[in-house]
Amino acid sequence: MKNKRSLTEDKIIEFVSWELNVPPTYIFPSSNLSNDLNLDPQDKMLLIAELESRLDVYLTSEEAKTVETIQDLSQFFKSHASWVLSTRLFRVILVEA
């Protein structure tokens, strides 16, 4: 059975593929940023910073340090994005009220 990936994972894999010039077929949710994608700690932080900038979603430094896999990235960005979206929606509701 094929493992179903989330939209967030697909977008992150697409971005990482483009950023690292690695075919997306070689990147999986379980891909380790250091061991599988050969990122040193500084490169890992730069990749996370670029994702943060593009998605307008920011991880805490503690969260960024714990990211090891594509799936970790996906989970952190998905949880932060939903919080940011709900906060922005709440602001819109307050302004319109």
Side-chain angles (χ1 to χ4, degrees):
M1 178 165 66
K2 188 176 179 184
N3 186 11
K4 186 175 180 185
R5 296 190 316 213
S6 72
L7 179 61
T8 306
E9 279 177 346
D10 285 341
K11 289 297 181 190
I12 289 177
I13 287 172
E14 183 181 305
F15 171 78
V16 171
S17 167
W18 178 80
E19 190 73 22
L20 301 180
N21 199 24
V22 174
T25 55
Y26 295 152
I27 303 173
F28 306 96
S30 61
S31 295
N32 186 289
L33 300 177
S34 300
N35 299 332
D36 299 325
L37 300 175
N38 300 317
L39 295 178
D40 63 28
Q42 182 178 4
D43 289 336
K44 185 173 96 169
M45 290 303 173
L46 289 171
L47 179 73
I48 292 170
E50 184 64 29
L51 272 167
E52 289 174 328
S53 175
R54 288 180 181 262
L55 298 173
D56 196 27
V57 174
Y58 299 90
L59 307 182
T60 66
S61 59
E62 293 81 22
E63 289 169 331
K65 289 177 188 174
T66 65
V67 169
E68 296 293 327
T69 66
I70 297 293
Q71 188 172 18
D72 293 342
L73 281 172
S74 174
Q75 289 173 341
F76 278 121
F77 280 105
K78 189 185 302 182
S79 67
H80 281 276
S82 63
W83 182 84
V84 168
L85 183 60
S86 64
T87 302
R88 288 179 182 161
L89 182 60
F90 183 68
R91 287 181 189 153
V92 168
I93 291 170
L94 286 178
V95 169
E96 290 179 356

mmCIF file with all atom_site columns, all heavy atoms in Angstrom, residues 79-92:
data_model
loop_
_atom_site.group_PDB
_atom_site.id
_atom_site.type_symbol
_atom_site.label_atom_id
_atom_site.label_alt_id
_atom_site.label_comp_id
_atom_site.label_asym_id
_atom_site.label_entity_id
_atom_site.label_seq_id
_atom_site.pdbx_PDB_ins_code
_atom_site.Cartn_x
_atom_site.Cartn_y
_atom_site.Cartn_z
_atom_site.occupancy
_atom_site.B_iso_or_equiv
_atom_site.pdbx_formal_charge
_atom_site.auth_seq_id
_atom_site.auth_comp_id
_atom_site.auth_asym_id
_atom_site.auth_atom_id
_atom_site.pdbx_PDB_model_num
ATOM 1   N N   . SER A 1 79 ? 1.376   22.668 12.201 1.00 0.00 ? 79 SER A N   1
ATOM 2   C CA  . SER A 1 79 ? 0.794   23.112 13.474 1.00 0.00 ? 79 SER A CA  1
ATOM 3   C C   . SER A 1 79 ? 0.898   24.631 13.626 1.00 0.00 ? 79 SER A C   1
ATOM 4   O O   . SER A 1 79 ? -0.042  25.277 14.071 1.00 0.00 ? 79 SER A O   1
ATOM 5   C CB  . SER A 1 79 ? 1.437   22.405 14.658 1.00 0.00 ? 79 SER A CB  1
ATOM 6   O OG  . SER A 1 79 ? 2.785   22.773 14.809 1.00 0.00 ? 79 SER A OG  1
ATOM 7   N N   . HIS A 1 80 ? 2.020   25.207 13.217 1.00 0.00 ? 80 HIS A N   1
ATOM 8   C CA  . HIS A 1 80 ? 2.169   26.659 13.307 1.00 0.00 ? 80 HIS A CA  1
ATOM 9   C C   . HIS A 1 80 ? 1.281   27.379 12.302 1.00 0.00 ? 80 HIS A C   1
ATOM 10  O O   . HIS A 1 80 ? 0.713   28.419 12.612 1.00 0.00 ? 80 HIS A O   1
ATOM 11  C CB  . HIS A 1 80 ? 3.629   27.073 13.113 1.00 0.00 ? 80 HIS A CB  1
ATOM 12  C CG  . HIS A 1 80 ? 4.463   26.876 14.331 1.00 0.00 ? 80 HIS A CG  1
ATOM 13  N ND1 . HIS A 1 80 ? 4.522   27.799 15.335 1.00 0.00 ? 80 HIS A ND1 1
ATOM 14  C CD2 . HIS A 1 80 ? 5.258   25.847 14.711 1.00 0.00 ? 80 HIS A CD2 1
ATOM 15  C CE1 . HIS A 1 80 ? 5.321   27.349 16.286 1.00 0.00 ? 80 HIS A CE1 1
ATOM 16  N NE2 . HIS A 1 80 ? 5.780   26.167 15.928 1.00 0.00 ? 80 HIS A NE2 1
ATOM 17  N N   . ALA A 1 81 ? 1.171   26.824 11.108 1.00 0.00 ? 81 ALA A N   1
ATOM 18  C CA  . ALA A 1 81 ? 0.341   27.457 10.079 1.00 0.00 ? 81 ALA A CA  1
ATOM 19  C C   . ALA A 1 81 ? -1.113  27.474 10.497 1.00 0.00 ? 81 ALA A C   1
ATOM 20  O O   . ALA A 1 81 ? -1.805  28.471 10.295 1.00 0.00 ? 81 ALA A O   1
ATOM 21  C CB  . ALA A 1 81 ? 0.500   26.734 8.751  1.00 0.00 ? 81 ALA A CB  1
ATOM 22  N N   . SER A 1 82 ? -1.593  26.404 11.101 1.00 0.00 ? 82 SER A N   1
ATOM 23  C CA  . SER A 1 82 ? -3.000  26.391 11.526 1.00 0.00 ? 82 SER A CA  1
ATOM 24  C C   . SER A 1 82 ? -3.220  27.403 12.642 1.00 0.00 ? 82 SER A C   1
ATOM 25  O O   . SER A 1 82 ? -4.254  28.067 12.692 1.00 0.00 ? 82 SER A O   1
ATOM 26  C CB  . SER A 1 82 ? -3.432  24.990 11.955 1.00 0.00 ? 82 SER A CB  1
ATOM 27  O OG  . SER A 1 82 ? -2.708  24.559 13.076 1.00 0.00 ? 82 SER A OG  1
ATOM 28  N N   . TRP A 1 83 ? -2.234  27.565 13.532 1.00 0.00 ? 83 TRP A N   1
ATOM 29  C CA  . TRP A 1 83 ? -2.359  28.567 14.602 1.00 0.00 ? 83 TRP A CA  1
ATOM 30  C C   . TRP A 1 83 ? -2.364  29.970 13.998 1.00 0.00 ? 83 TRP A C   1
ATOM 31  O O   . TRP A 1 83 ? -3.190  30.806 14.351 1.00 0.00 ? 83 TRP A O   1
ATOM 32  C CB  . TRP A 1 83 ? -1.217  28.418 15.607 1.00 0.00 ? 83 TRP A CB  1
ATOM 33  C CG  . TRP A 1 83 ? -1.342  29.397 16.738 1.00 0.00 ? 83 TRP A CG  1
ATOM 34  C CD1 . TRP A 1 83 ? -2.082  29.262 17.867 1.00 0.00 ? 83 TRP A CD1 1
ATOM 35  C CD2 . TRP A 1 83 ? -0.717  30.689 16.823 1.00 0.00 ? 83 TRP A CD2 1
ATOM 36  N NE1 . TRP A 1 83 ? -1.956  30.390 18.652 1.00 0.00 ? 83 TRP A NE1 1
ATOM 37  C CE2 . TRP A 1 83 ? -1.133  31.275 18.035 1.00 0.00 ? 83 TRP A CE2 1
ATOM 38  C CE3 . TRP A 1 83 ? 0.134   31.396 15.996 1.00 0.00 ? 83 TRP A CE3 1
ATOM 39  C CZ2 . TRP A 1 83 ? -0.710  32.532 18.434 1.00 0.00 ? 83 TRP A CZ2 1
ATOM 40  C CZ3 . TRP A 1 83 ? 0.557   32.660 16.398 1.00 0.00 ? 83 TRP A CZ3 1
ATOM 41  C CH2 . TRP A 1 83 ? 0.133   33.205 17.611 1.00 0.00 ? 83 TRP A CH2 1
ATOM 42  N N   . VAL A 1 84 ? -1.443  30.224 13.059 1.00 0.00 ? 84 VAL A N   1
ATOM 43  C CA  . VAL A 1 84 ? -1.365  31.544 12.423 1.00 0.00 ? 84 VAL A CA  1
ATOM 44  C C   . VAL A 1 84 ? -2.649  31.833 11.661 1.00 0.00 ? 84 VAL A C   1
ATOM 45  O O   . VAL A 1 84 ? -3.213  32.922 11.752 1.00 0.00 ? 84 VAL A O   1
ATOM 46  C CB  . VAL A 1 84 ? -0.132  31.633 11.484 1.00 0.00 ? 84 VAL A CB  1
ATOM 47  C CG1 . VAL A 1 84 ? -0.199  32.860 10.604 1.00 0.00 ? 84 VAL A CG1 1
ATOM 48  C CG2 . VAL A 1 84 ? 1.151   31.621 12.293 1.00 0.00 ? 84 VAL A CG2 1
ATOM 49  N N   . LEU A 1 85 ? -3.149  30.849 10.923 1.00 0.00 ? 85 LEU A N   1
ATOM 50  C CA  . LEU A 1 85 ? -4.374  31.027 10.160 1.00 0.00 ? 85 LEU A CA  1
ATOM 51  C C   . LEU A 1 85 ? -5.562  31.317 11.067 1.00 0.00 ? 85 LEU A C   1
ATOM 52  O O   . LEU A 1 85 ? -6.339  32.231 10.815 1.00 0.00 ? 85 LEU A O   1
ATOM 53  C CB  . LEU A 1 85 ? -4.649  29.790 9.307  1.00 0.00 ? 85 LEU A CB  1
ATOM 54  C CG  . LEU A 1 85 ? -5.863  29.855 8.388  1.00 0.00 ? 85 LEU A CG  1
ATOM 55  C CD1 . LEU A 1 85 ? -5.725  31.012 7.403  1.00 0.00 ? 85 LEU A CD1 1
ATOM 56  C CD2 . LEU A 1 85 ? -6.031  28.549 7.659  1.00 0.00 ? 85 LEU A CD2 1
ATOM 57  N N   . SER A 1 86 ? -5.677  30.572 12.159 1.00 0.00 ? 86 SER A N   1
ATOM 58  C CA  . SER A 1 86 ? -6.802  30.807 13.060 1.00 0.00 ? 86 SER A CA  1
ATOM 59  C C   . SER A 1 86 ? -6.685  32.174 13.735 1.00 0.00 ? 86 SER A C   1
ATOM 60  O O   . SER A 1 86 ? -7.684  32.862 13.938 1.00 0.00 ? 86 SER A O   1
ATOM 61  C CB  . SER A 1 86 ? -6.913  29.694 14.101 1.00 0.00 ? 86 SER A CB  1
ATOM 62  O OG  . SER A 1 86 ? -5.792  29.677 14.940 1.00 0.00 ? 86 SER A OG  1
ATOM 63  N N   . THR A 1 87 ? -5.462  32.598 14.046 1.00 0.00 ? 87 THR A N   1
ATOM 64  C CA  . THR A 1 87 ? -5.251  33.918 14.648 1.00 0.00 ? 87 THR A CA  1
ATOM 65  C C   . THR A 1 87 ? -5.621  35.017 13.665 1.00 0.00 ? 87 THR A C   1
ATOM 66  O O   . THR A 1 87 ? -6.305  35.982 14.018 1.00 0.00 ? 87 THR A O   1
ATOM 67  C CB  . THR A 1 87 ? -3.786  34.085 15.082 1.00 0.00 ? 87 THR A CB  1
ATOM 68  O OG1 . THR A 1 87 ? -3.463  33.045 15.997 1.00 0.00 ? 87 THR A OG1 1
ATOM 69  C CG2 . THR A 1 87 ? -3.549  35.423 15.744 1.00 0.00 ? 87 THR A CG2 1
ATOM 70  N N   . ARG A 1 88 ? -5.212  34.871 12.409 1.00 0.00 ? 88 ARG A N   1
ATOM 71  C CA  . ARG A 1 88 ? -5.536  35.874 11.390 1.00 0.00 ? 88 ARG A CA  1
ATOM 72  C C   . ARG A 1 88 ? -7.039  35.914 11.134 1.00 0.00 ? 88 ARG A C   1
ATOM 73  O O   . ARG A 1 88 ? -7.613  36.979 10.965 1.00 0.00 ? 88 ARG A O   1
ATOM 74  C CB  . ARG A 1 88 ? -4.786  35.582 10.097 1.00 0.00 ? 88 ARG A CB  1
ATOM 75  C CG  . ARG A 1 88 ? -3.309  35.879 10.215 1.00 0.00 ? 88 ARG A CG  1
ATOM 76  C CD  . ARG A 1 88 ? -2.587  35.567 8.951  1.00 0.00 ? 88 ARG A CD  1
ATOM 77  N NE  . ARG A 1 88 ? -1.155  35.838 9.132  1.00 0.00 ? 88 ARG A NE  1
ATOM 78  C CZ  . ARG A 1 88 ? -0.212  35.352 8.358  1.00 0.00 ? 88 ARG A CZ  1
ATOM 79  N NH1 . ARG A 1 88 ? -0.535  34.586 7.333  1.00 0.00 ? 88 ARG A NH1 1
ATOM 80  N NH2 . ARG A 1 88 ? 1.043   35.626 8.591  1.00 0.00 ? 88 ARG A NH2 1
ATOM 81  N N   . LEU A 1 89 ? -7.678  34.751 11.088 1.00 0.00 ? 89 LEU A N   1
ATOM 82  C CA  . LEU A 1 89 ? -9.120  34.681 10.886 1.00 0.00 ? 89 LEU A CA  1
ATOM 83  C C   . LEU A 1 89 ? -9.846  35.358 12.040 1.00 0.00 ? 89 LEU A C   1
ATOM 84  O O   . LEU A 1 89 ? -10.793 36.113 11.842 1.00 0.00 ? 89 LEU A O   1
ATOM 85  C CB  . LEU A 1 89 ? -9.566  33.220 10.749 1.00 0.00 ? 89 LEU A CB  1
ATOM 86  C CG  . LEU A 1 89 ? -11.046 32.984 10.496 1.00 0.00 ? 89 LEU A CG  1
ATOM 87  C CD1 . LEU A 1 89 ? -11.481 33.669 9.205  1.00 0.00 ? 89 LEU A CD1 1
ATOM 88  C CD2 . LEU A 1 89 ? -11.332 31.498 10.436 1.00 0.00 ? 89 LEU A CD2 1
ATOM 89  N N   . PHE A 1 90 ? -9.374  35.133 13.263 1.00 0.00 ? 90 PHE A N   1
ATOM 90  C CA  . PHE A 1 90 ? -9.972  35.749 14.443 1.00 0.00 ? 90 PHE A CA  1
ATOM 91  C C   . PHE A 1 90 ? -9.861  37.273 14.350 1.00 0.00 ? 90 PHE A C   1
ATOM 92  O O   . PHE A 1 90 ? -10.808 37.994 14.645 1.00 0.00 ? 90 PHE A O   1
ATOM 93  C CB  . PHE A 1 90 ? -9.289  35.226 15.706 1.00 0.00 ? 90 PHE A CB  1
ATOM 94  C CG  . PHE A 1 90 ? -9.884  35.753 16.975 1.00 0.00 ? 90 PHE A CG  1
ATOM 95  C CD1 . PHE A 1 90 ? -11.154 35.387 17.377 1.00 0.00 ? 90 PHE A CD1 1
ATOM 96  C CD2 . PHE A 1 90 ? -9.162  36.630 17.776 1.00 0.00 ? 90 PHE A CD2 1
ATOM 97  C CE1 . PHE A 1 90 ? -11.704 35.873 18.546 1.00 0.00 ? 90 PHE A CE1 1
ATOM 98  C CE2 . PHE A 1 90 ? -9.694  37.124 18.943 1.00 0.00 ? 90 PHE A CE2 1
ATOM 99  C CZ  . PHE A 1 90 ? -10.970 36.742 19.338 1.00 0.00 ? 90 PHE A CZ  1
ATOM 100 N N   . ARG A 1 91 ? -8.709  37.764 13.883 1.00 0.00 ? 91 ARG A N   1
ATOM 101 C CA  . ARG A 1 91 ? -8.520  39.215 13.725 1.00 0.00 ? 91 ARG A CA  1
ATOM 102 C C   . ARG A 1 91 ? -9.497  39.771 12.691 1.00 0.00 ? 91 ARG A C   1
ATOM 103 O O   . ARG A 1 91 ? -10.042 40.849 12.882 1.00 0.00 ? 91 ARG A O   1
ATOM 104 C CB  . ARG A 1 91 ? -7.090  39.533 13.322 1.00 0.00 ? 91 ARG A CB  1
ATOM 105 C CG  . ARG A 1 91 ? -6.109  39.361 14.439 1.00 0.00 ? 91 ARG A CG  1
ATOM 106 C CD  . ARG A 1 91 ? -4.712  39.728 13.977 1.00 0.00 ? 91 ARG A CD  1
ATOM 107 N NE  . ARG A 1 91 ? -3.744  39.351 14.991 1.00 0.00 ? 91 ARG A NE  1
ATOM 108 C CZ  . ARG A 1 91 ? -2.488  39.057 14.752 1.00 0.00 ? 91 ARG A CZ  1
ATOM 109 N NH1 . ARG A 1 91 ? -2.031  39.104 13.513 1.00 0.00 ? 91 ARG A NH1 1
ATOM 110 N NH2 . ARG A 1 91 ? -1.673  38.721 15.721 1.00 0.00 ? 91 ARG A NH2 1
ATOM 111 N N   . VAL A 1 92 ? -9.695  39.066 11.597 1.00 0.00 ? 92 VAL A N   1
ATOM 112 C CA  . VAL A 1 92 ? -10.632 39.501 10.569 1.00 0.00 ? 92 VAL A CA  1
ATOM 113 C C   . VAL A 1 92 ? -12.034 39.562 11.129 1.00 0.00 ? 92 VAL A C   1
ATOM 114 O O   . VAL A 1 92 ? -12.776 40.521 10.905 1.00 0.00 ? 92 VAL A O   1
ATOM 115 C CB  . VAL A 1 92 ? -10.574 38.562 9.331  1.00 0.00 ? 92 VAL A CB  1
ATOM 116 C CG1 . VAL A 1 92 ? -11.725 38.825 8.386  1.00 0.00 ? 92 VAL A CG1 1
ATOM 117 C CG2 . VAL A 1 92 ? -9.240  38.728 8.608  1.00 0.00 ? 92 VAL A CG2 1
#
